[in-house]
Amino acid sequence: MIKGVHMFSGGLDSIVSAHLLKSLQIDLTLIHFVLPFYAGFDTVKSKAVQASAEQLGLPLRIVEDGEEFLRMIKDPKFGFGKNANPCIDCRIYRLGVAKQIMQELGASFVSTGEVSGQRPMSQRRDTLFRIENESGCKGILLRPLSAHHLPPTITEEQGLVDRSKLLGIAGRGRGQQIAYAQRFNLTYPSPDGGCILTNIQSAHRYLDLAGKQPDFTMTDFKLIAFGRHFRLSDDVRLIVSRDEHENQVLLRIVGELDCYLYPTDVPGPVSIIRGKFTETDLLNAASITARYSKGRDKEMVKVAAVKGEERSYHSVRPAGDAFCEQIRITSEK
Ligand code: SF4
């Protein structure tokens, strides 16, 4: 039985294409990539992906994007899309990883649920070829949904995958994929907000980070997905959580060298201050943390600052909205 590895986002196209390949008696392993922001977290999305893999009865391997992804996004060869999304380089990087797994498993091809012409940046026909070449996947990259619009892969030429059973879908419509899913009783998730790097707020935070601190670390990068962001100085950034869930996330991300803050006597956010901060920066950070706490209307709020074993307490006046808006990193200005 021929083996393949399938890049599996858990969305409609990846479910339909995986089902199609399985129906051709292919021994398929699903690979799901997780952006650095969600690495190590059991998110709603990761549960949905696992459920989709179970529905298909196929093994699933989760791959968390790591330091190599970070190197890629600092200097993407093909640039960014509309926001902070380096889609072409991201596809190339991930296909390279998928190819390694393919070799490790003794499989013959990598497949994806890509549809020619569906997305403006990474799924234009010429871009599909470029991605295939740059990732070293020429001849082994199978796109079963659009196969009839693309040259045959080596496995199709060898008759190991029956090309006549593959599809010829192109463009943005999802009608054929939905009809396929209905025919085989496949459930699939509604489209979600998509990759956070395509979001304008995240892009703003990313550009601020990359502009002020080009040697940013993985933790700096992960933080762009969470909280409200403030620039206290060229060197110092403050991230203030927005809810209890983000409190837990920030506490997990916080490093040994980080300083985090929280109000001691009223419910409120966890904040992380990053960079070489001064005493004034710390007091401003405490004051902004107090502003987003339940003590925002009080005269003074007590805020703890923790760094490693050190802990200090600061009674501060909650910051005013005008000050917060002035230093907030946002696209809404
Ligand atoms: S949308 Fe995000 S995850 Fe998808 S290819 Fe682009 S950068 Fe990568």
Side-chain angles (χ1 to χ4, degrees), residues 189-305:
S190 320
D192 57 17
C195 166
I196 196 165
L197 296 168
T198 62
N199 172 298
I200 189 165
Q201 282 295 353
S202 310
H204 234 78
R205 294 166 182 181
Y206 176 78
L207 291 176
D208 176 84
L209 175 65
K212 297 270 189 322
Q213 198 185 327
D215 58 344
F216 60 87
T217 65
M218 182 58 98
T219 307
D220 293 319
F221 180 61
K222 281 184 180 187
L223 284 168
I224 70 170
F226 306 103
R228 308 169 183 90
H229 288 227
F230 302 88
R231 183 145 293 285
L232 301 181
S233 74
D234 272 359
D235 293 332
V236 184
R237 219 165 33 124
L238 177 73
I239 297 95
V240 181
S241 84
R242 290 171 291 199
D243 53 34
E244 180 53 31
H245 169 68
E246 286 195 344
N247 280 355
Q248 300 310 318
V249 171
L250 293 202
L251 286 173
R252 278 188 62 174
I253 290 179
V254 73
E256 287 214 337
L257 297 177
D258 278 320
C259 177
Y260 69 92
L261 305 99
Y262 63 92
T264 58
D265 301 334
V266 287
V270 168
S271 306
I272 296 181
I273 182 167
R274 301 221 94 202
K276 290 187 190 129
F277 59 87
T278 61
E279 187 63 20
T280 305
D281 293 329
L282 184 63
L283 290 176
N284 280 334
S287 177
I288 294 168
T289 303
R291 155 65 185 83
Y292 290 98
S293 76
K294 292 277 186 208
R296 70 178 64 95
D297 297 322
K298 289 180 180 288
E299 190 65 22
M300 301 297 272
V301 173
K302 191 173 167 190
V303 175

Side-chain angles (χ1 to χ4, degrees), residues 35 85-87 90-91 94 195 197-198:
L35 284 165
N85 48 312
C87 290
C90 179
R91 298 295 296 168
R94 287 179 167 183
C195 166
L197 296 168
T198 62

